[in-house]
Amino acid sequence: MPYISKFEGAEPDGTAWTRVDGSAPGSRYRTQLLPWAVPTLEHMVDTPAQPSPQIPADPDWPQSPAARNAQDLAELVMASPSSFHAAAEGARRLEAAGFHQLDERDAWSGDDVRQPSYVVRDGALIAWVTPEALGERAGFRVVGAHTDSPSFKLKPRPSTGHSGWWQAGVEIYGGPLVNSWLDRELRLAGRITVRTEQGAESRLVATEPVARIPQLAIHLDRGANKALSLDPQQHTQPIWGCGDEPGDVLALLAEAASRGGLRVRAEDLLGWDIVLADTQQPRLFGAHQELLASGRLDNLTSVHAGLEALTGRLDDLRGGRHIAMLAAFDHEEVGSRTRSGAAGPFLEDVLVRVGAALGWDEDRRRAAIASSSCLSSDAGHLVHPNYPGHHDPAVRPMPGGGPLLKINADQHYTTDADGAAQWRLACRSADVPVQEFVSHNAVPCGSTIGPITAGRLGMRTLDVGVGLLSMHSAREMVHLEDLHGLGQAMQEWLLG
């Protein structure tokens, strides 16, 4: 059987040419690449902003404010199959709203940081708006979120296979509901580093739907509906083609990276940070089209709300009391202990440099931190109607009941009385209902970037988010009004 062995070039319209071994001499095959497979982050942010990939028009899609907000979130999700794409799409949206990019390798002046600005570090993004007049007790209002989601990450030497099937070697990233990834059409997406004449450079890449983790037929496992058990090594390796010999996964990535005439060969790939991503589009459903099903709602719901809060009322923020900031970190699902994670130095680096550019000394900067707050926004849990006993018997968050205020005695969520007051007042100003989330005592909760930020910076931190069902599934669900309410309340909190 033929298999891809060499990429031979691409045309400006995004058509890639590949040589296929076993085909007739001189044969080449055309592959139309994804329109959102942006080749480089630098290319994206240094060129005029382009429209997001659009979800096809749906005549049944409502036109209420909550539904339009969900439509915009859906476009963000489709443009963001990886954390690197999420940072790039966030940068594109900020550019369109008038923000300008700062480079961490350059010196920052007061004029730089007084403009609406942003910085990208790998798959993380920090953006801010500085008020025109800062008082003596001005600090920062930081919305914290994360760009990554549970998935599967491509291994070194990823081209494998068995029994005539081409497979890609992957390892589990974070804590996905593994069974939800079975029998879904998947793509490979993320960042590659390629050899160039100047040395090396990074590029974003996303393939078409190409892979699938197939489930074993019920006839071959009669007990699957009673006790499905998936070995993380043996049962999670996706197939992506057929052939007598293994296909070349790196050639596939090189092909996708060569969109727009940027030639990349498989042998030029020096490194990769590639994950699997579901290709099914977000979709409204429910009796009143009030629910949204989508991948990566944890935590692109908060990234989207933060971007909308920062760009939607820019003039108001310029007249506000505090520097309004969005910090969208990477690697939350695996502990945050990276240069672009919340446990790393990224946020502190930006806070220090913004203060220095504004002329603050060390005492003034520490005073600003003492006047600051961080709104750690991450998804939470609604009461599951099929498993009501897994939730607290008195605190019962419901769909459409508003964004969550998350509380935990062991400080896995860092909301205290003062933080709770901040959020309740913001929700009241936005005319948005609010509901609490606390875990059942026998079902411990997870955690967020909130405790990490509070412990690293000493900044008051509170935890909020939207309630989901099926969290960490390949496809989660949320109520539209809760999504919309989170963004509205977040705007008011930033202005507080």
Coordinates of all heavy atoms in Angstrom, one line a residue, residues 353-395:
R353 N 7.6 44.5 35.2 CA 8.0 45.3 34.1 C 7.0 46.4 33.8 O 7.4 47.6 33.5 CB 8.2 44.5 32.8 CG 9.3 43.4 33.0 CD 9.7 42.8 31.7 NE 10.3 43.8 30.8 CZ 10.7 43.5 29.6 NH1 10.5 42.3 29.1 NH2 11.2 44.4 28.8
V354 N 5.7 46.2 34.0 CA 4.7 47.3 33.8 C 5.0 48.3 34.9 O 5.0 49.5 34.6 CB 3.3 46.7 33.9 CG1 2.3 47.9 34.0 CG2 3.0 45.9 32.6
G355 N 5.2 47.9 36.1 CA 5.4 48.9 37.2 C 6.7 49.7 36.9 O 6.7 50.9 37.1
A356 N 7.7 49.0 36.5 CA 9.0 49.7 36.3 C 8.9 50.7 35.1 O 9.4 51.8 35.2 CB 10.1 48.7 35.9
A357 N 8.1 50.4 34.1 CA 7.9 51.3 33.0 C 7.1 52.5 33.4 O 7.2 53.6 32.8 CB 7.3 50.6 31.8
L358 N 6.2 52.3 34.4 CA 5.4 53.4 34.9 C 6.2 54.3 35.9 O 5.7 55.2 36.4 CB 4.1 52.9 35.5 CG 3.1 52.2 34.6 CD1 2.0 51.6 35.4 CD2 2.6 53.3 33.6
G359 N 7.4 53.9 36.2 CA 8.2 54.6 37.2 C 8.1 54.2 38.6 O 8.5 55.0 39.5
W360 N 7.5 53.1 38.9 CA 7.3 52.6 40.3 C 8.6 52.1 40.8 O 9.3 51.4 40.1 CB 6.2 51.5 40.4 CG 4.8 51.9 40.0 CD1 4.4 53.2 39.7 CD2 3.7 51.1 39.8 NE1 3.1 53.2 39.4 CE2 2.6 51.9 39.4 CE3 3.5 49.7 39.9 CZ2 1.4 51.4 39.2 CZ3 2.3 49.2 39.7 CH2 1.2 50.0 39.3
D361 N 8.9 52.4 42.1 CA 10.0 51.8 42.8 C 9.5 50.5 43.4 O 8.3 50.1 43.3 CB 10.7 52.7 43.8 CG 9.7 53.2 44.9 OD1 8.6 52.5 45.1 OD2 10.0 54.2 45.6
E362 N 10.3 49.8 44.1 CA 10.0 48.5 44.7 C 8.8 48.6 45.7 O 7.9 47.8 45.8 CB 11.2 47.8 45.3 CG 10.9 46.4 46.0 CD 10.5 45.4 45.0 OE1 10.6 45.6 43.7 OE2 10.1 44.3 45.4
D363 N 8.9 49.7 46.5 CA 7.9 49.9 47.5 C 6.5 50.1 46.9 O 5.5 49.6 47.3 CB 8.3 51.0 48.4 CG 7.3 51.2 49.6 OD1 7.3 50.3 50.5 OD2 6.6 52.2 49.7
R364 N 6.5 51.0 45.8 CA 5.3 51.3 45.2 C 4.7 50.0 44.5 O 3.5 49.8 44.5 CB 5.5 52.4 44.1 CG 4.3 52.7 43.2 CD 3.1 53.3 44.1 NE 2.0 53.5 43.3 CZ 1.0 52.6 43.1 NH1 1.1 51.4 43.6 NH2 -0.1 53.0 42.3
R365 N 5.6 49.2 43.9 CA 5.1 48.0 43.3 C 4.5 47.1 44.3 O 3.4 46.5 44.0 CB 6.2 47.3 42.5 CG 5.8 46.1 41.7 CD 6.9 45.4 41.0 NE 7.8 44.8 41.9 CZ 7.6 43.6 42.5 NH1 6.5 42.9 42.2 NH2 8.5 43.1 43.3
R366 N 5.1 46.9 45.4 CA 4.5 46.0 46.4 C 3.2 46.6 47.0 O 2.3 45.8 47.3 CB 5.5 45.8 47.5 CG 6.7 44.9 47.1 CD 7.6 44.5 48.2 NE 8.7 43.7 47.7 CZ 8.6 42.4 47.6 NH1 7.5 41.7 47.8 NH2 9.7 41.7 47.1
A367 N 3.1 47.9 47.1 CA 1.8 48.5 47.5 C 0.8 48.2 46.5 O -0.4 48.0 46.8 CB 2.0 50.0 47.7
A368 N 1.1 48.2 45.2 CA 0.2 47.9 44.1 C -0.3 46.5 44.2 O -1.5 46.2 44.0 CB 0.8 48.2 42.7
I369 N 0.6 45.6 44.5 CA 0.1 44.2 44.6 C -0.8 44.0 45.8 O -1.8 43.3 45.7 CB 1.4 43.3 44.8 CG1 2.3 43.3 43.6 CG2 0.9 41.8 45.2 CD1 1.6 42.7 42.4
A370 N -0.6 44.8 46.9 CA -1.5 44.7 48.0 C -2.8 45.3 47.7 O -3.8 44.9 48.4 CB -0.8 45.5 49.2
S371 N -2.9 46.1 46.7 CA -4.2 46.7 46.3 C -4.9 45.9 45.2 O -5.9 46.3 44.7 CB -4.0 48.2 45.8 OG -3.5 49.0 46.8
S372 N -4.3 44.8 44.8 CA -4.7 44.0 43.6 C -5.5 42.8 44.0 O -5.6 42.4 45.1 CB -3.5 43.6 42.8 OG -2.7 44.6 42.4
S373 N -6.2 42.3 43.0 CA -7.0 41.1 43.1 C -6.9 40.3 41.9 O -6.7 40.8 40.8 CB -8.5 41.4 43.4 OG -8.7 42.1 44.6
C374 N -7.0 39.0 42.0 CA -7.0 38.1 40.9 C -8.3 37.3 40.9 O -8.7 36.7 41.9 CB -5.9 37.1 40.9 SG -5.9 35.8 39.6
L375 N -9.0 37.3 39.7 CA -10.3 36.5 39.5 C -9.9 35.3 38.8 O -9.7 35.3 37.5 CB -11.3 37.4 38.7 CG -12.7 36.8 38.5 CD1 -13.5 36.9 39.8 CD2 -13.4 37.5 37.4
S376 N -9.7 34.2 39.5 CA -9.3 32.9 38.8 C -10.6 32.3 38.3 O -11.5 31.9 39.0 CB -8.7 32.0 39.9 OG -8.6 30.7 39.4
S377 N -10.7 32.3 37.0 CA -11.9 31.8 36.3 C -11.6 30.5 35.6 O -10.8 30.4 34.7 CB -12.4 32.9 35.3 OG -13.6 32.5 34.7
D378 N -12.4 29.5 36.0 CA -12.2 28.1 35.5 C -13.6 27.4 35.6 O -14.4 27.8 36.5 CB -11.1 27.4 36.2 CG -10.5 26.2 35.4 OD1 -11.1 25.9 34.4 OD2 -9.5 25.7 35.9
A379 N -13.8 26.4 34.8 CA -15.1 25.7 34.8 C -15.3 25.0 36.1 O -14.4 24.5 36.7 CB -15.1 24.8 33.6
G380 N -16.6 24.9 36.4 CA -17.0 24.1 37.6 C -18.1 23.1 37.2 O -18.4 22.9 36.0
H381 N -18.8 22.6 38.2 CA -19.7 21.5 37.9 C -21.2 21.9 38.3 O -21.4 22.4 39.4 CB -19.4 20.3 38.8 CG -18.0 19.8 38.6 ND1 -17.6 19.1 37.5 CD2 -16.9 19.9 39.4 CE1 -16.3 18.8 37.6 NE2 -15.8 19.3 38.7
L382 N -22.1 21.7 37.4 CA -23.5 21.7 37.6 C -23.9 20.4 38.2 O -23.3 19.3 38.1 CB -24.3 22.0 36.4 CG -24.0 23.3 35.7 CD1 -24.8 23.4 34.4 CD2 -24.3 24.5 36.6
V383 N -25.1 20.3 38.9 CA -25.6 19.1 39.4 C -26.0 18.2 38.2 O -26.7 18.6 37.3 CB -26.9 19.3 40.3 CG1 -27.5 18.0 40.7 CG2 -26.5 20.1 41.5
H384 N -25.4 17.0 38.2 CA -25.7 16.0 37.2 C -27.0 15.2 37.5 O -27.1 14.6 38.6 CB -24.5 15.0 37.1 CG -24.5 14.3 35.8 ND1 -25.5 13.5 35.4 CD2 -23.5 14.2 34.8 CE1 -25.2 12.9 34.2 NE2 -24.0 13.3 33.8
P385 N -28.0 15.3 36.7 CA -29.3 14.7 37.0 C -29.2 13.2 37.2 O -30.1 12.6 37.9 CB -30.2 15.1 35.9 CG -29.3 15.3 34.7 CD -28.1 15.9 35.3
N386 N -28.2 12.5 36.5 CA -28.1 11.1 36.7 C -27.2 10.6 37.8 O -27.2 9.5 38.2 CB -27.5 10.5 35.4 CG -28.4 10.7 34.2 OD1 -29.6 11.0 34.3 ND2 -27.8 10.6 33.0
Y387 N -26.5 11.6 38.4 CA -25.7 11.3 39.6 C -25.8 12.4 40.6 O -24.8 13.0 41.1 CB -24.2 11.3 39.1 CG -23.9 10.3 38.0 CD1 -24.0 10.7 36.7 CD2 -23.6 9.0 38.3 CE1 -23.8 9.8 35.7 CE2 -23.3 8.1 37.3 CZ -23.4 8.5 36.0 OH -23.1 7.6 34.9
P388 N -27.1 12.7 41.1 CA -27.3 13.8 42.1 C -26.5 13.6 43.4 O -26.2 14.5 44.1 CB -28.8 13.8 42.2 CG -29.2 12.4 41.9 CD -28.3 12.0 40.8
G389 N -26.2 12.3 43.7 CA -25.6 12.1 45.0 C -24.1 12.4 45.0 O -23.5 12.4 46.1
H390 N -23.6 12.8 43.9 CA -22.2 13.2 43.9 C -22.0 14.7 44.2 O -20.8 15.2 44.2 CB -21.6 13.0 42.5 CG -21.3 11.5 42.2 ND1 -22.3 10.6 42.1 CD2 -20.1 10.9 41.9 CE1 -21.7 9.4 41.8 NE2 -20.4 9.6 41.7
H391 N -23.1 15.4 44.5 CA -23.0 16.8 44.8 C -23.4 17.1 46.2 O -24.1 16.3 46.8 CB -23.9 17.6 43.8 CG -23.6 17.3 42.3 ND1 -22.7 18.1 41.6 CD2 -23.9 16.3 41.5 CE1 -22.6 17.7 40.4 NE2 -23.3 16.6 40.3
D392 N -23.1 18.3 46.7 CA -23.5 18.7 48.0 C -25.0 18.7 48.1 O -25.7 19.2 47.2 CB -22.9 20.1 48.3 CG -23.2 20.5 49.7 OD1 -22.5 20.1 50.7 OD2 -24.2 21.3 49.9
P393 N -25.6 18.2 49.2 CA -27.0 18.1 49.3 C -27.7 19.5 49.4 O -28.9 19.5 49.1 CB -27.3 17.3 50.6 CG -26.0 17.4 51.4 CD -24.9 17.6 50.4
A394 N -27.0 20.5 49.8 CA -27.7 21.8 50.0 C -27.3 22.8 48.9 O -28.1 23.7 48.5 CB -27.4 22.4 51.3
V395 N -26.0 22.8 48.4 CA -25.6 23.7 47.4 C -25.7 23.0 46.0 O -24.9 22.1 45.7 CB -24.1 24.1 47.7 CG1 -23.6 25.1 46.6 CG2 -24.0 24.7 49.1

